[in-house]
Amino acid sequence: MSFDIKGLDNIPKDQPLVVACNHQSDWETFYLLTMGLPVSTVLKRELLYIPFFGWALAMLNPIAIDRKRKTNALKQLSQQGCERLNAGISVVIFPEGTRCPPGRLGSCTKGAAMLAHQAGVPILPIVQNSGRLSTPRKWLKQAGKVEVRIGQPISPDAPTKEMHEQMVGWMTENLAEIS
C-alpha cells in the first residue's frame, strides 16, 4: 500500500485543532495518530470492551462516547473535547459517526463544528479513500494507493452552522475528486 498525501503544509503545528476526517476503514484511524500532533480520538465506547485491542485504545486517552445516549454523548464531547483542546491536544472526529462506503460522504453530525466553535480552535478537514483497499471486517488488505487530502483550517470565528457547512462542502468536493 502506498500513499499520496496532499496538504501537509495546511497542518498548523502551533495550536490544537478539531480534525474531521471521513471514515472508510481502520487505516485512517491509525494514520491520524501519526500526523505529528498529539491527538485524542472520539470513538464509540464499545470499542474499549474488545480484549487487548480495546485495552490498548484506552491507553490513548480517547473520548469514548455512548452513541445510544445522544444528549449525554454531546455533553461528553463538549466537556472532554474542550479539556483536551485546552491542554493542547487535538481532537479527531469522524463526523459521519460510522464507516461509509468509498466515494460517498455519509450524513455528518455537527459535533466537530460545535466543539471547534466552543473551544475557539479551527477544524482541519481531511478526506481519504482507504475504503477501496481495506474492506470492513476483513484483515486482508488490497495493494494500491491511498489518496489523502488535507484542507485549509476552517476558522472558529464563523457560527457553528457555517463552519459545519464549510467542512461538509470541502469534504464532499474533495472526496469526489479522489474516489
Side-chain angles (χ1 to χ4, degrees), residues 9 41 49 57-58 94 96 120 122 124 128:
D9 54 331
T41 303
Y49 302 137
L57 271 180
F94 299 104
E96 298 159 299
L124 184 69
Q128 49 74 41

Side-chain angles (χ1 to χ4, degrees), residues 34-55:
T34 68
M35 289 179 25
L37 299 170
V39 296
S40 179
T41 303
V42 177
L43 50 82
K44 60 183 178 181
R45 185 179 67 182
E46 300 86 69
L47 291 175
L48 299 179
Y49 302 137
I50 300 170
F52 303 107
F53 175 75
W55 305 334

Side-chain angles (χ1 to χ4, degrees), residues 36-153:
L37 299 170
V39 296
S40 179
T41 303
V42 177
L43 50 82
K44 60 183 178 181
R45 185 179 67 182
E46 300 86 69
L47 291 175
L48 299 179
Y49 302 137
I50 300 170
F52 303 107
F53 175 75
W55 305 334
L57 271 180
M59 293 174 62
L60 297 174
N61 197 21
I63 300 171
I65 61 172
D66 182 355
R67 295 189 305 181
K68 294 175 187 149
R69 300 177 64 193
K70 291 184 185 202
T71 303
N72 285 352
L74 196 57
K75 286 179 186 174
Q76 185 181 0
L77 173 62
S78 176
Q79 178 188 2
Q80 291 182 15
C82 283
E83 287 172 4
R84 304 293 197 292
L85 291 162
N86 289 334
I89 300 169
S90 293
V91 174
V92 174
I93 296 179
F94 299 104
E96 298 159 299
T98 192
R99 292 180 185 181
C100 289
R104 181 176 80 74
L105 187 66
S107 177
C108 294
T109 66
K110 291 188 174 108
M114 182 263 329
L115 177 58
H117 184 74
Q118 183 178 5
V121 301
I123 298 173
L124 184 69
I126 299 176
V127 293
Q128 49 74 41
N129 63 359
S130 64
R132 296 182 307 112
L133 308 174
S134 181
T135 309
R137 294 178 210 60
K138 293 193 179 171
W139 288 99
L140 188 60
K141 310 301 180 207
Q142 298 176 22
K145 183 185 289 187
V146 175
E147 293 186 61
V148 179
R149 295 226 177 133
I150 302 169
Q152 292 280 335

